[in-house]
Amino acid sequence: MPITGFVSGRSSTQKAYPGKTTPFVILTCLVAATSGLIFGYDVGISGGVTSMEPFLSKFFPSVHRKMMMAAHKSSNQYCKFDSQLLTTFTSSLYLAALLTSLLASTVTRALGRKNSMLIGGVIFLAGSVMNGAAENVAMLIVGRILLGVGVGFACQAAPLYLSEMAPPHLRGMLNMGFQLMITFGIFSANLINYGTSKIMGDWSWRISLSLAAVPAMIITVGCVFLPDSPNSLVARGHTEKARTMLQRIRGIQDVDEEFNDMVTASDESKRVRHGWSNMGKRKHRPQLVMAVLLTSFQQLTGINVIMFYAPVLFKTIGFGSNGSLMSAVIIGLVNMFATLVSISTVDKIGRRLLYLEGGPQMFVSQITVGTLIAVNFGSTGEASMPKLYAWIVVASICIYVAGFAWSWGPLTILITSEIFPLEIRSAAQSLAISVSMFFTFSIAQAFLPMLCHLKFGLFYFFGGWVAIMTTFVYFFLPETKNIPIEKMVLVWRDHWFWGRFIDDDAGRHAHGGQEPVDAVENDRKVVSAI
Ligand code: BGC
């Protein structure tokens, strides 16, 4: 059996779900996707704020002193920002998000996806007020923990919501709206930091941190008006409401087939007391291993080294404050526009091709950046980089970010939200987000000491991971393009490796008890013809 084929090409008379793409579903997905803004704003704002002098001198005077000394070229460039307290400020949010997303699984399952997003928005709002008003490090960290709780709820619920609402042939595009909002959040934060860094005194960082309230308000108000997904309504016993909602989002009256699959999936899920205990079953192993590995790998690309610390990194290679923040803005723009490439192609060319192009592109640019820094700073870090060189580093980082933005960024969120059966979907999504936050936390925490010790080798380290993960995708990731979400088990059952974990009659219910073995490729074809 070919290892790249994943789904054997069988034919069938099975039909995919009928339906139209309604403006209503597009609008609801757009509103739900704004949940990504709060995560993105946060990722983008901390790097800039932690390189602002008034912020450092108020909360982290020892880092400030070191930075001043490093201005004299004799100091080691690699180590000038290394401070445990400073990294704790950045990474505390991710620890809070990690714990919250575990709890959010129960809330999302019991109260629905929409309510979890709403709770996330409100708590994030409280965090932004606390941070903007901070007078000491404790206030700063408590505020950041609140932001993390908000992010945990939003990241757990929103991707699930989007994948459930979207019709199968647009699921990739609509789900990726979440990642697009993350990138928009990061970009806006970069831009705001660029503007506020010109303000003298405490108002610079206070404005940057308080403006997190804007995305928080957007998602809070937006969520008040959102309907819940039909899958979540069925699972919570609101069967008639769910049918009406499905008719509304699909724009047709006859939604029986899709609706029946949801009811069957929900009945199955009710036989399970809660998703967590069921997750360990052998039949769920392929999806579980995939979600955990993809989310870990996503962070091991090293993306957040760039997202959090781009201004710090650029100062390290010799840009002034202005140049550093400006470069972060450029990178934010590249990140946002490159995500659009993925959005417009993912439902046509599929997930695998985007991963397999993005990976090598990222690998080559990481090796280039590492080598440029090695040649210039060597291992002592005692030099300054000529301007032309520094700009080549920025250009290589842009190429790397573009690769991430059309592959590992949006695809990882999409795939983890679309591969699980309803019975464990909420719990599994929580696990995936927690793993992601764990790695985000660890990398945020480890970056400055790693830069100090691994020096230019840091880029080789992440480049090595990108090579490993791209190989993994090549062999093990099945193509999930255009497969209806409640029929997804079939792509695993028909995969050359993962098939051994899944019973031959798995997915029978997803086809009304008929021809399960023939259905998946046909579904994909029918859906792509829509
Ligand atoms: C990741 C974030 C990252 C962002 C960059 C997201 O998919 O989860 O950790 O900062 O992409 O755009």
Side-chain angles (χ1 to χ4, degrees), residues 256-270:
D256 285 354
E257 193 190 342
E258 185 171 6
F259 185 69
N260 291 341
D261 280 351
M262 271 178 207
V263 172
T264 317
S266 162
D267 289 346
E268 219 151 273
S269 99
K270 280 184 190 133

Side-chain angles (χ1 to χ4, degrees), residues 52-283:
M52 287 178 189
E53 280 184 33
F55 178 83
L56 288 176
S57 65
K58 184 170 176 77
F59 298 112
F60 305 97
S62 63
V63 186
H64 186 236
R65 268 196 303 278
K66 225 172 174 185
M67 198 173 96
M68 291 313 195
M69 273 161 55
H72 307 289
K73 296 286 174 336
S74 60
S75 184
N76 186 336
Q77 300 293 319
Y78 293 123
C79 300
K80 63 183 177 183
F81 287 96
D82 187 8
S83 151
Q84 227 26 56
L85 200 57
L86 187 60
T87 49
T88 307
F89 164 74
T90 302
S91 56
S92 56
L93 183 149
Y94 302 96
L95 202 54
L98 183 167
L99 298 172
T100 308
S101 57
L102 294 176
L103 166 83
S105 142
T106 318
V107 178
T108 300
R109 199 174 146 141
L111 302 181
R113 284 65 169 129
K114 161 205 162 111
N115 286 326
S116 273
M117 289 186 266
L118 187 61
I119 295 172
V122 171
I123 299 179
F124 193 90
L125 191 59
S128 58
V129 173
M130 182 88 156
N131 262 353
E135 278 304 330
N136 48 45
V137 176
M139 272 178 90
L140 210 57
I141 291 186
V142 171
R144 240 178 121 68
I145 290 174
L146 288 175
L147 298 180
V149 173
V151 166
F153 272 106
C155 288
Q156 196 273 344
L160 285 187
Y161 181 86
L162 293 166
S163 284
E164 290 180 343
M165 291 295 276
H169 69 290
L170 290 182
R171 191 176 56 242
M173 183 183 109
L174 292 177
N175 180 289
M176 285 184 176
F178 183 73
Q179 173 73 14
L180 185 67
M181 292 295 174
I182 295 182
T183 61
F184 184 64
I186 296 176
F187 172 64
S188 319
N190 291 158
L191 213 56
I192 288 167
N193 276 340
Y194 185 61
T196 58
S197 67
K198 304 206 176 338
I199 301 173
M200 303 297 269
D202 285 354
W203 279 107
S204 52
W205 60 267
R206 281 199 197 282
I207 295 177
S208 286
L209 295 181
S210 320
L211 282 178
V214 176
M217 293 290 284
I218 295 175
I219 92 160
T220 308
V221 174
C223 283
V224 172
F225 297 102
L226 280 185
D228 219 336
S229 74
N231 317 56
S232 171
L233 287 168
V234 170
R236 287 179 294 127
H238 307 296
T239 320
E240 271 325 295
K241 241 174 149 179
R243 181 190 284 278
T244 316
M245 182 49 59
L246 193 57
Q247 287 167 332
R248 186 152 181 221
I249 60 178
R250 300 290 177 254
I252 51 165
Q253 285 307 303
D254 181 12
V255 290
D256 285 354
E257 193 190 342
E258 185 171 6
F259 185 69
N260 291 341
D261 280 351
M262 271 178 207
V263 172
T264 317
S266 162
D267 289 346
E268 219 151 273
S269 99
K270 280 184 190 133
R271 267 184 261 129
V272 179
R273 275 226 350 266
H274 46 81
W276 288 109
S277 51
N278 204 38
M279 217 154 47
K281 285 195 176 156
R282 183 178 163 85
K283 66 173 178 172

Side-chain angles (χ1 to χ4, degrees), residues 39-40 43 94 178-179 182-183 186 298-299 303-304 307-308 335 339 401 404-405 408-410 412-413 436-437 440:
F39 181 34
V43 167
Y94 302 96
F178 183 73
Q179 173 73 14
I182 295 182
T183 61
I186 296 176
Q298 190 208 40
Q299 292 305 315
I303 188 66
N304 281 327
M307 293 300 143
F308 298 151
N335 192 21
T339 306
V401 168
F404 176 88
W408 283 90
T412 307
I413 297 176
S436 167
M437 293 299 168
T440 311

Side-chain angles (χ1 to χ4, degrees), residues 252-518:
I252 51 165
Q253 285 307 303
D254 181 12
V255 290
D256 285 354
E257 193 190 342
E258 185 171 6
F259 185 69
N260 291 341
D261 280 351
M262 271 178 207
V263 172
T264 317
S266 162
D267 289 346
E268 219 151 273
S269 99
K270 280 184 190 133
R271 267 184 261 129
V272 179
R273 275 226 350 266
H274 46 81
W276 288 109
S277 51
N278 204 38
M279 217 154 47
K281 285 195 176 156
R282 183 178 163 85
K283 66 173 178 172
H284 298 314
R285 203 146 315 149
Q287 297 94 319
L288 206 59
V289 169
M290 189 58 66
V292 168
L293 286 182
L294 288 186
T295 42
S296 319
F297 285 156
Q298 190 208 40
Q299 292 305 315
L300 287 168
T301 57
I303 188 66
N304 281 327
V305 161
I306 305 298
M307 293 300 143
F308 298 151
Y309 296 114
V312 170
L313 199 65
F314 293 138
K315 274 195 175 174
T316 304
I317 61 173
F319 282 96
S321 287
N322 206 30
S324 301
L325 289 171
M326 189 61 211
S327 313
V329 171
I330 297 173
I331 284 173
L333 259 182
V334 170
N335 192 21
M336 203 166 73
F337 280 103
T339 306
L340 291 173
V341 172
S342 204
I343 288 185
S344 55
T345 54
V346 66
D347 291 311
K348 297 184 194 86
I349 64 173
R351 285 67 166 145
R352 285 176 48 80
L353 199 62
L354 285 165
Y355 267 125
L356 295 176
E357 192 288 327
Q361 178 174 328
M362 291 163 77
F363 175 78
V364 171
S365 19
Q366 277 164 315
I367 301 301
T368 311
V369 172
T371 309
L372 284 172
I373 296 183
V375 169
N376 196 76
F377 287 144
S379 53
T380 60
E382 289 181 6
S384 65
M385 195 178 261
K387 268 278 151 332
L388 177 67
Y389 241 67
W391 278 110
I392 298 175
V393 171
V394 174
S396 306
I397 291 180
C398 286
I399 295 172
Y400 159 81
V401 168
F404 176 88
W406 59 58
S407 63
W408 283 90
L411 290 170
T412 307
I413 297 176
L414 167 65
I415 289 174
T416 52
S417 72
E418 71 181 4
I419 56 178
F420 288 102
L422 184 64
E423 60 195 273
I424 58 163
R425 194 173 298 148
S426 184
Q429 175 72 6
S430 289
L431 182 73
I433 295 297
S434 302
V435 170
S436 167
M437 293 299 168
F438 170 75
F439 276 95
T440 311
F441 166 80
S442 310
I443 288 173
Q445 195 68 33
F447 168 65
L448 292 177
M450 270 170 97
L451 178 65
C452 186
H453 294 109
L454 287 181
K455 306 175 172 81
F456 59 84
L458 187 65
F459 294 93
Y460 297 154
F461 171 79
F462 288 119
W465 276 110
V466 169
I468 292 172
M469 63 187 82
T470 306
T471 311
F472 173 81
V473 163
Y474 179 77
F475 286 107
F476 294 105
L477 180 74
E479 182 56 69
T480 50
K481 170 183 85 166
N482 291 341
I483 302 297
I485 193 165
E486 305 301 354
K487 296 181 179 183
M488 200 57 83
V489 66
L490 301 175
V491 299
W492 303 96
R493 196 209 47 202
D494 293 344
H495 185 269
W496 72 274
F497 178 77
W498 301 116
R500 70 195 68 185
F501 293 92
I502 298 185
D503 289 347
D504 268 357
D505 67 346
R508 189 172 290 279
H509 76 262
H511 291 84
Q514 303 154 21
E515 301 180 73
V517 291
D518 293 338

